[in-house]
Amino acid sequence: MRNSTQRRNSNPFSLHTLAAALLMLACLITSGCSLGVMAGKMLFGDPLITCEFTKRTKIDLSKEKKKVLVVCSTPESIRSDYPSLNYDLLEQITYGLRRHEIEVMDTGEVATWLDDNGGVWNDVDELAENFDADYIIHVDIDEFDYREPNSPNLLRGKAFGTVSAYQVKELDGLKRAREVFVSEYTSEYPNHMPVSIESESPTVFRKKYLDRIADQIGRFFYNYKTGAEI
C-alpha cells in the first residue's frame, strides 16, 4: 500500500500541475501575449484559413475536383521588358494549385493555344469554348518590376493587377463563362528596404519573387495555414 501511494505521489504530471498549466496558457492567450500564441500553436497547430474564393462562392476546388484553366495576361509595355512573364507565372501558379490538389489543365496546351492566337484572346467565352474546363482563373498583371527605380544595384519586387474566376456553363449549346470572383492584387517585396545585387543576383531574386506572387495569387483559391510564411 505504501509503495502504491509513493508511486502516485512521485508522478510529476498530477492533475493539479496540468490544471495550473492550462490556466496559465489561457491567461497568456486572453492577454494577447505572443508567448500564448506560440504555446497554442504547439498544442493545437496552426489553424487553417479558408480562401477567399471558397468564402464567396462556397466552392472548394480541391474537394469538388473541378477542372481549372489558368491564363495570365500583361500589357505590351510589360511583355516588351519581360517577354516570358506570362508563361513563368502560369507555370508557377499551376504548380501551386496542383500541390494543393486542384486539377489544373496542362500549361503547355494553354501556351500553345495562346501562341496560335497571337498571345491574346478577345473574351473569356472564347476560352470557355476552346477548353474543357469547369472554371477559368484569369490573372491580369497591370504592373510588374523587380528593380528599384533609379537604383540599378537594388532589387525590390512590385506588382499590381486583378485576379478573376469564371464558372463555365453550357447555355443553348454554347459554353459561357460567368464571373463568380474578382479581387485586386498588389504586392511589394521586401517591404522595408530593397535587396542589394551584391547579396543576391537579379536572376535568383526574380525567381524568388515570382514564386512569392504565385503563392499569394494561389491563396485566393486554396486554404492555407496561418503560420505559413508568404
Side-chain angles (χ1 to χ4, degrees), residues 127-166:
L127 297 174
E129 282 288 349
N130 284 276
F131 291 95
D132 182 23
D134 299 303
Y135 288 89
I136 298 172
I137 295 175
H138 176 211
V139 180
D140 187 19
I141 300 296
D142 295 317
E143 298 177 11
F144 173 84
D145 207 343
Y146 64 95
R147 296 181 181 274
E148 189 76 349
N150 304 316
S151 302
N153 295 324
L154 298 178
L155 305 170
R156 192 201 306 257
K158 293 183 179 181
F160 173 79
T162 305
V163 180
S164 307
Y166 302 82

Side-chain angles (χ1 to χ4, degrees), residues 156-224:
R156 192 201 306 257
K158 293 183 179 181
F160 173 79
T162 305
V163 180
S164 307
Y166 302 82
Q167 185 178 33
V168 178
K169 293 285 188 179
E170 188 167 323
L171 299 173
D172 300 326
L174 298 174
K175 289 184 178 181
R176 290 292 179 259
R178 178 176 64 90
E179 185 178 83
V180 293
F181 174 87
V182 62
S183 178
E184 286 190 347
Y185 165 78
T186 184
S187 168
E188 182 175 357
Y189 174 79
N191 294 323
H192 302 297
M193 62 178 60
V195 175
S196 170
I197 62 173
E198 295 179 358
S199 61
E200 191 164 47
S201 72
T203 301
V204 171
F205 182 85
R206 180 180 184 274
K207 173 63 168 60
K208 183 186 296 184
Y209 185 51
L210 286 179
D211 290 346
R212 183 182 181 87
I213 291 176
D215 188 34
Q216 288 177 316
I217 291 173
R219 289 185 183 204
F220 283 119
F221 301 99
Y222 51 70
N223 302 334
Y224 56 93

Side-chain angles (χ1 to χ4, degrees), residues 59-78:
I59 297 166
D60 189 325
L61 293 175
S62 62
K63 289 183 178 179
E64 298 190 23
K65 301 303 180 185
K66 299 297 185 180
K67 191 178 295 184
V68 177
L69 167 69
V70 179
V71 289
C72 300
S73 60
T74 52
E76 179 60 35
S77 58
I78 294 179

